[in-house]
């Protein structure tokens, strides 16, 4: 995946009347590749959900939506007998071999298994007369399902030919799901579902869980779970299991059913334990008002946080042509790059030794400057900063700037953790402002470079006292213009955000990243 992919995505967005800055999109994609959890915050209606949907649909395979041949009540014609759909969802289909359930038997077939049978039939141009066993034996060597499940040859053959007869009307598994978070979400059941307490064979599934299972069944296809208005409820109450799974890689516990040998038992297509697939990307959108909750540092610690702002120029352009976005011009246009996106997300940072030295120097500078205030960061943040910088480099190509990548990480990984009252936060923001504005000696003699960074650290540590007459982040001239401009700062994005947070904390006595 390289710069040209970002450029093509921007072209398709523009054609669909969705306008996004190239560097902002690059930061978003690099954030997804560096860590599979990204938070988008900003004004309501500023495009957060649209960006999440737009990129997800752009890079995902298209889906033809229409009549579902496996909808409950459908009849599936077989060679020897007919089958009747009792129930179905996005993952599996329940087939009875009799209209009278008291006289028939039930088989539950994964939709993906049926699709693999159908693909094999098409690939080998098999006629309707082909025996079920012939297809089963042909499919088996390439199948990821168990031989026992694949042995339901007669219903599988009938279902596969029914699927082919339905043609393009039948939709494939969903790869993008937008889930609106509710204010009443108080547990993980709203995300991961729960075992039915009255029916020992049933598991109550959710759209989010179905998407996770889809991703696990199709590891070569990126899947996107978009949690809209994520902070309408306390995030830790419903999202803790996923946060832990993202970080640890350990499976999530879903139910306690086990087989005779202690193996995981399947209930309604749901295993008792489930690892979060590496091809699943979670995007949360956040609005901040009197109806929402603030994120805790442990949540922000595990994500890149991108802020949406509506500029005067962007609003003027929209008012000149206030039409909606045509999703049909976006969907699946970048699907050819899905595999390279997954490869990017699974790769290491790829930085040269010299680049890594420069990144580490900046990380240590901020760590040492923040340590006296007790807000230093841990190994996870440092690792993810390095990963983001490497992914950003791949997506920027020859025009890549290390400073731009580091600026993005200061504003996306370090600043979001800052919130509190003025007496606590203002000195910290003052120090941050000095770190972001001060020019660096980035080349030349190693001792000269190190001395330059030490001088910045010394000033940053003294900036906690806020008595440096030579440096005032909010200082103005007689005409009201700021003395220190973001465009002149070493990290302009970060400096601009720090100044806004400083102004907010002075005005309100309290501020956070989302409010500043």
């Amino acid at each position: 995946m390289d710069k040209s992919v970002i450029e093509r995505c921007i072209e398709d967005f523009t054609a669909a009347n969705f306008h996004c800055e190239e560097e902002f999109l690059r930061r978003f994609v690099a954030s997804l590749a560096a860590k599979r959890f990204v938070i988008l915050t900003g004004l309501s209606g500023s495009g957060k959900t649209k960006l999440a949907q737009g990129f997800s649909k752009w890079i995902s395979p298209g889906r033809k939506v229409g009549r579902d041949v496996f909808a409950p009540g459908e009849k599936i014609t077989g060679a020897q007998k007919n089958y009747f759909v009792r129930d179905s969802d996005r993952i599996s289909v329940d087939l009875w071999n009799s209209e009278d359930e008291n006289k028939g038997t039930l088989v539950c077939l994964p939709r993906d298994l049926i699709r693999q049978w159908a693909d094999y039939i098409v690939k080998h141009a098999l006629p309707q007369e082909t025996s079920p066993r012939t297809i089963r034996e042909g499919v088996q060597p390439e199948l990821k399902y168990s031989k026992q499940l694949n042995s339901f040859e007669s219903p599988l053959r009938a279902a596969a030919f029914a699927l082919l007869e339905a043609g393009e009307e039948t939709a494939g598994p969903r790869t993008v799901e937008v889930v609106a978070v509710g204010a009443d979400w108080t547990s993980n059941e709203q995300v991961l579902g729960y075992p039915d307490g009255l029916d020992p064979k049933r598991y109550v599934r959710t759209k989010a869980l179905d998407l996770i299972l889809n991703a696990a069944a199709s590891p070569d296809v990126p899947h996107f779970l978009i949690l809209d208005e994520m902070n309408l409820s306390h995030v830790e109450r419903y999202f803790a299991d996923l946060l832990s799974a993202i970080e640890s890689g350990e499976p999530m516990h879903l139910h306690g059913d086990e087989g005779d040998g202690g193996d995981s038992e399947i209930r309604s297509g749901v295993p008792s334990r489930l690892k979060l697939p590496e091809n699943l990307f979670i995007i949360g959108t956040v609005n901040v008002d009197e109806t929402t909750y603030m994120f805790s540092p442990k949540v922000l610690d595990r994500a890149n946080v991108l802020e949406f702002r509506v500029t005067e120029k962007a609003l003027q352009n929209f008012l000149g042509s206030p039409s909606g976005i045509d999703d049909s011009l976006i969907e699946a246009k970048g699907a050819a790059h899905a595999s390279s996106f997954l490869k990017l997300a699974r790769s290491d940072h790829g930085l040269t030794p010299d680049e890594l030295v420069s990144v580490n120097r900046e990380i240590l500078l901020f760590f040492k400057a923040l340590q006296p205030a007790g807000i230093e960061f841990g190994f996870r943040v440092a690792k993810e900063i390095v990963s983001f910088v490497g992914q950003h480099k791949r997506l920027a190509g020859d025009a890549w700037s290390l400073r731009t990548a580091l600026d993005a990480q200061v504003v996306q990984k370090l600043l979001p953790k800052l919130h509190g009252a003025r007496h606590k936060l203002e000195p910290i923001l003052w120090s941050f402002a000095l770190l972001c504005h001060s020019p660096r000696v980035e080349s030349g003699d190693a001792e000269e470079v190190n001395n330059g960074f030490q001088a910045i650290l010394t000033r940053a540590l003294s900036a906690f006292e806020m008595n440096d007459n030579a440096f005032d982040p909010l200082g103005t001239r007689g005409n009201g213009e700021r003395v220190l401009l973001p465009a002149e700062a070493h990290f302009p994005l970060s400096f601009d955000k720090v100044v806004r947070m400083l102004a907010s904390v002075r005005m309100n006595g309290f501020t956070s990243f989302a409010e500043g």
Side-chain angles (χ1 to χ4, degrees):
M1 205 166 194
D2 54 26
K3 178 183 180 181
S4 61
V5 175
I6 300 297
E7 292 174 340
R8 283 193 287 271
C9 186
I10 289 291
E11 290 175 1
D12 291 332
F13 278 10
T14 303
N17 200 37
F18 178 53
H19 301 282
C20 179
E21 293 182 1
E22 182 177 321
E23 176 55 29
F24 192 89
L25 179 64
R26 182 177 297 111
R27 286 166 51 199
F28 173 65
V29 177
S31 298
L32 284 172
K35 187 70 174 285
R36 295 174 291 143
F37 177 36
V38 172
I39 295 173
L40 306 179
T41 183
L43 289 171
S44 178
S46 57
K48 302 182 295 296
T49 305
K50 284 299 181 184
L51 175 61
Q53 287 179 297
F55 179 75
S56 302
K57 290 181 177 180
W58 182 80
I59 204 165
S60 299
R63 300 177 72 247
K64 296 292 184 180
V65 179
R67 184 183 70 87
D68 184 2
V69 71
F70 301 126
E74 291 286 340
K75 176 182 176 181
I76 308 298
T77 303
Q80 303 297 326
K81 61 178 65 178
N82 296 326
Y83 299 90
F84 301 88
V85 181
R86 172 192 175 189
D87 196 8
S88 66
D89 56 26
R90 299 176 182 86
I91 303 297
S92 59
V93 180
D94 288 354
L95 293 177
W96 288 83
N97 60 3
S98 172
E99 285 189 277
D100 185 351
E101 294 178 7
N102 294 320
K103 298 179 180 179
T105 55
L106 169 69
V107 60
C108 181
L109 300 177
R111 284 182 183 257
D112 188 49
L113 177 57
I114 297 171
R115 167 56 64 186
Q116 289 184 55
W117 273 60
D119 289 344
Y120 182 83
I121 290 169
V122 171
K123 181 179 179 180
H124 296 278
L126 301 180
Q128 285 267 9
E129 297 76 25
T130 306
S131 71
R133 178 160 297 186
T134 299
I135 305 175
R136 186 193 74 186
E137 292 175 350
V139 169
Q140 186 62 52
E142 301 176 0
L143 205 63
K144 58 177 175 285
Y145 290 94
S146 68
K147 291 182 179 180
Q148 288 79 8
L149 190 58
N150 197 45
S151 66
F152 294 108
E153 54 192 41
S154 294
L156 276 168
R157 176 194 172 282
F161 276 110
L163 184 65
L164 293 174
E165 289 174 7
E168 292 188 345
E169 288 185 347
T170 301
R174 296 182 70 88
T175 58
V176 180
E177 197 69 74
V178 179
V179 178
V181 173
D184 60 342
W185 284 25
T186 56
S187 74
N188 66 358
E189 292 181 354
Q190 282 83 4
V191 178
L192 298 176
Y194 55 92
D196 192 326
L198 298 178
D199 185 346
K201 296 183 178 180
R202 179 172 177 258
Y203 191 96
V204 180
R205 295 159 63 146
T206 65
K207 291 196 296 183
L209 177 60
D210 284 347
L211 185 77
I212 296 171
L213 293 171
N214 286 346
S218 303
D220 297 327
V221 178
H223 288 65
F224 298 87
L225 174 60
I226 302 169
L227 295 173
D228 201 24
E229 298 202 49
M230 195 176 183
N231 60 331
L232 271 179
S233 181
H234 288 289
V235 176
E236 295 83 354
R237 292 181 179 176
Y238 67 87
F239 200 62
D241 292 71
L242 275 79
L243 275 178
S244 177
I246 290 171
E247 188 61 31
S248 68
E250 292 297 314
M252 301 174 290
H253 176 80
L254 300 180
H255 60 81
D257 294 0
E258 292 186 349
D260 295 335
D263 297 329
S264 175
E265 188 80 1
I266 304 296
R267 179 193 280 214
S268 298
V270 179
S272 61
R273 293 177 298 278
L274 177 64
K275 290 189 69 173
L276 208 60
E278 292 185 355
N279 58 323
L280 177 72
F281 300 86
I282 302 174
I283 306 168
T285 69
V286 175
N287 295 323
V288 177
D289 56 38
E290 66 279 0
T291 68
T292 60
Y293 297 92
M294 183 53 57
F295 277 3
S296 67
K298 71 178 180 182
V299 176
L300 298 173
D301 218 27
R302 289 163 166 81
N304 267 276
V305 183
L306 280 76
E307 181 186 29
F308 277 67
R309 300 191 69 208
V310 177
T311 64
E312 181 181 347
K313 181 180 179 181
L315 186 58
Q316 284 180 340
N317 291 336
F318 173 78
L319 292 173
S321 178
S323 55
I325 299 171
D326 187 350
D327 288 340
S328 65
L329 299 178
I330 294 177
E331 191 166 0
K333 286 298 181 68
H337 307 291
S339 60
S340 60
F341 173 68
L342 287 177
K343 182 179 179 181
L344 180 73
R346 292 164 178 164
S347 61
D348 61 15
H349 57 77
L351 297 172
T352 67
D354 287 344
E355 291 165 349
L356 194 56
V357 167
S358 298
V359 174
N360 291 345
R361 187 185 293 122
E362 287 286 354
I363 291 175
L364 286 171
L365 173 64
F366 278 88
F367 180 86
K368 292 175 181 177
L370 297 176
Q371 200 169 26
I375 56 171
E376 68 272 25
F377 45 88
F379 302 115
R380 179 197 302 117
V381 171
K383 176 184 177 182
E384 290 170 10
I385 289 175
V386 173
S387 178
F388 173 92
V389 171
Q391 310 296 28
H392 188 273
K393 177 185 176 182
R394 291 186 174 102
L395 293 169
D398 295 337
W400 179 65
S401 164
L402 175 59
R403 183 190 301 186
T404 300
L406 287 169
D407 188 9
Q409 282 303 272
V410 174
V411 77
Q412 292 173 196
K413 289 294 291 182
L414 302 185
L415 285 175
K417 297 176 62 176
L418 302 185
H419 68 278
R422 178 175 179 177
H423 71 276
K424 168 191 173 183
L425 200 58
E426 188 173 11
I428 297 170
L429 290 171
W430 202 280
S431 180
F432 249 105
L434 190 141
L435 289 169
C436 295
H437 194 276
S438 299
R440 274 52 161 176
V441 177
E442 298 177 292
S443 60
D445 180 71
E447 184 177 356
E448 182 182 359
V449 172
N450 290 332
N451 289 340
F453 271 77
Q454 184 59 45
I456 295 172
L457 175 61
T458 300
R459 288 193 68 194
L461 292 173
S462 66
F464 281 107
E465 305 300 324
M466 297 187 299
N467 58 7
D468 187 345
N469 294 327
F471 183 80
D472 182 357
L474 298 180
T476 58
R477 297 186 173 90
N479 60 2
E481 292 183 355
R482 288 269 165 81
V483 175
L484 301 176
L485 301 176
E488 299 170 351
H490 187 76
F491 292 146
L493 276 177
S494 303
F495 182 75
D496 178 61
K497 181 61 180 178
V498 171
V499 169
R500 285 189 280 124
M501 291 178 71
L502 265 172
S504 175
V505 80
R506 285 191 179 180
M507 180 182 298
N508 304 315
F510 182 96
T511 197
S512 66
F513 179 86
E515 295 170 314

